[in-house]
Amino acid sequence: MIEISTIDIIAIIVFATSWILYSVILTRLAGSGRTLSSAMDIQRRQWMRTMMHRDLRMIDTGIMSGLQNGTAFFASTSLLAIGGCFAMLNSADHVYGVMRDLAIVEAIPKGLFEAKVVGLMLIFGYAFFKFGWSYRLFNYASILIGATPTAAHAAEPETVAAAERAAVFTITAGRHFNHGLRAFFFSIGYLGWFVNGWTLIVTTLVVALVQLHRQFFSDSAKIVIAAARQEPT
């Protein structure tokens, strides 16, 4: 039986609640153009509208290739992080001893320390599945771009529908990528738990506030949100 203190329980609740609330806020505002992510979704749709007026689509396939490569990089990084967590579990005695000698952690049960490592592993596992599915959706979106009729048929309903399908797949892929990236960001906050529960609360709130600032008040957010207000939805 793993012994866990009250502050650790409170810290985990704060961590989970912050992550969930942040995700709910962005989900509720999806498509509104009021956040950085939702404004970029509008730009993705505009990209596909522009794409259907091009006969030569090397630009579009080049952009898609870059998106796939970035997603593949983070998926591979997730696997490496999971492997690092396994290595930490295999060397739990040594790592736990070093952290205790350096007074980084208090005298916590070794079982709780290992449970923290497993929790970190689960976060990276979640991120891997999100990045993996995002990569696959970007692949499907590439096929849908290839299936879109040429610019000579841009005014036809079939072409508009084909571009919309590609846009939906690209937007969905981007959202899954954001979920994976969000897991990476919150994993930084989770590292605070290796110190103590109080530190986890602080690092979680810092990560959440930084993310909210980036979504609503950063320079990049202001630019694309302003552009989204001028784009047809």
Side-chain angles (χ1 to χ4, degrees):
M1 191 71 178
I2 298 176
E3 297 179 8
I4 183 168
S5 65
T6 302
I7 185 59
D8 283 327
I9 295 174
I10 294 174
I12 285 298
I13 293 174
V14 170
F15 177 80
T17 302
S18 298
W19 190 342
I20 292 171
L21 282 178
Y22 179 76
S23 298
V24 168
I25 290 172
L26 293 192
T27 300
R28 290 289 181 87
L29 294 177
S32 67
R34 295 165 57 189
T35 67
L36 175 59
S37 296
S38 63
M40 287 307 301
D41 288 344
I42 294 174
Q43 292 299 318
R44 289 186 178 96
R45 182 168 271 110
Q46 181 59 33
W47 168 25
M48 291 300 124
R49 290 172 179 164
T50 303
M51 175 273 298
M52 70 181 183
H53 291 282
R54 281 195 282 259
D55 278 320
L56 302 177
R57 292 168 180 162
M58 292 81 76
I59 295 175
D60 308 293
T61 55
I63 295 173
M64 194 64 69
S65 177
L67 293 173
Q68 287 178 309
N69 290 338
T71 306
F73 168 79
F74 279 105
S76 301
T77 303
S78 300
L79 289 178
L80 291 174
I82 293 172
C85 289
F86 273 115
M88 189 180 295
L89 283 177
N90 290 332
S91 305
D93 290 331
H94 177 70
V95 176
Y96 180 71
V98 170
M99 295 182 71
R100 184 177 54 195
D101 292 341
L102 294 175
I104 296 178
V105 296
E106 301 171 357
I108 62 173
K110 180 184 172 185
L112 179 58
F113 174 80
E114 293 174 339
K116 293 177 181 181
V117 177
V118 171
L120 187 61
M121 191 184 306
L122 292 175
I123 293 175
F124 288 127
Y126 169 83
F128 170 75
F129 278 105
K130 284 297 181 180
F131 288 130
W133 183 236
S134 175
Y135 182 88
R136 191 170 186 180
L137 289 176
F138 278 130
N139 184 55
Y140 290 156
S142 299
I143 296 172
L144 291 175
I145 288 176
T148 303
T150 58
H153 305 280
E156 297 178 7
E158 180 182 348
T159 304
V160 175
E164 178 62 20
R165 283 193 295 271
V168 170
F169 268 70
T170 305
I171 290 171
T172 305
R175 288 177 181 173
H176 281 280
F177 179 84
N178 288 337
H179 281 294
L181 209 56
R182 191 175 307 156
F184 267 41
F185 290 139
F186 274 97
S187 71
I188 302 301
Y190 182 90
L191 293 177
W193 198 21
F194 286 93
V195 179
N196 54 46
W198 290 109
T199 306
L200 174 58
I201 293 174
V202 172
T203 53
T204 296
L205 294 178
V206 168
V207 168
L209 289 174
V210 168
Q211 289 296 95
L212 287 171
H213 176 268
R214 289 177 176 176
Q215 285 290 338
F216 291 95
F217 307 111
S218 64
D219 292 338
S220 54
K222 292 175 182 177
I223 291 171
V224 292
I225 288 173
R229 292 171 180 167
Q230 303 172 6
E231 296 287 351
T233 57

